[in-house]
Amino acid sequence: MAAAADYRDRRDELERIFKSMPTYKDGYISTTDFGSVIKEMKYGRTNEQVQGYVDYWDKHHEGKLQIETFMSHATSLYKTSEFARQYAIAADSDNNGFISSDEFVGIVTLMCIHDPELVGKSYSEFVDEADTNKDGKVSIEECASWIENQLNK
């Protein structure tokens, strides 16, 4: 029961941080506030990593970060499987349930920002490794499993 309370307390704190940003409006903040959010969260990231996240959100999400997306990512930071799933969901920009080559580039970029030790892969290597049912496509779940495996190496 204490873990559930800790999670709620952390979620409340993260929501307060997000909503306190100067650009907060209608459930979104601008990426210009992202560095301040990271700093207030006390989430140890270098300036280069923070800029990398900003660049990713600018390119793939029109420079805006939605509160629900932020909460999903922020509350899963220390749970690798959930964090991997959130990466995969965020990458599926056309919401078709599969990861295209363009969406894959975004995933690899974000993963390398999160952990600079990760080695990039080509899309064909990704499909070979992640497509467990061998249908020639990588679903969100297959992608999440692949990401988790990469982060746990």
Side-chain angles (χ1 to χ4, degrees):
M1 191 66 143
D6 291 344
Y7 171 78
R8 275 194 303 278
D9 290 345
R10 183 71 173 146
R11 186 170 172 81
D12 291 346
E13 174 191 3
L14 294 171
E15 186 172 353
R16 179 198 57 75
I17 290 169
F18 191 89
K19 288 182 174 180
S20 73
M21 293 297 114
T23 61
Y24 177 78
K25 182 178 180 188
D26 298 328
Y28 290 86
I29 63 168
S30 166
T31 55
T32 59
D33 282 334
F34 191 69
S36 298
V37 168
I38 295 296
K39 186 175 180 179
E40 283 200 47
M41 284 175 61
K42 296 176 178 51
Y43 182 51
R45 291 289 162 218
T46 65
N47 290 338
E48 292 80 15
Q49 286 173 305
V50 170
Q51 188 58 52
Y53 290 129
V54 168
D55 293 345
Y56 170 83
W57 288 102
D58 282 344
K59 181 177 181 178
H60 298 282
H61 298 279
E62 300 173 356
K64 294 188 240 173
L65 183 56
Q66 182 187 38
I67 191 167
E68 285 309 314
T69 302
F70 167 75
M71 295 300 287
S72 295
H73 285 272
T75 57
S76 68
L77 287 173
Y78 303 103
K79 295 179 269 181
T80 305
S81 62
E82 184 56 26
F83 193 64
R85 182 166 167 62
Q86 294 305 320
Y87 264 36
I89 290 169
D92 183 23
S93 58
D94 60 8
N95 297 312
N96 70 353
F98 297 95
I99 303 301
S100 70
S101 60
D102 289 340
E103 292 166 335
F104 171 73
V105 170
I107 289 171
V108 170
T109 301
L110 194 56
M111 285 175 58
C112 289
I113 293 165
H114 182 73
D115 184 351
E117 299 292 315
L118 293 172
V119 176
K121 301 250 181 201
S122 71
Y123 183 68
S124 62
E125 289 172 315
F126 165 67
V127 172
D128 287 344
E129 293 174 13
D131 182 19
T132 57
N133 67 3
K134 302 302 177 199
D135 64 357
K137 301 182 285 187
V138 178
S139 70
I140 296 295
E141 293 306 319
E142 289 171 322
C143 181
S145 293
W146 181 84
I147 293 169
E148 184 174 7
N149 289 337
Q150 299 303 303
L151 293 174
N152 287 329
K153 284 186 175 180

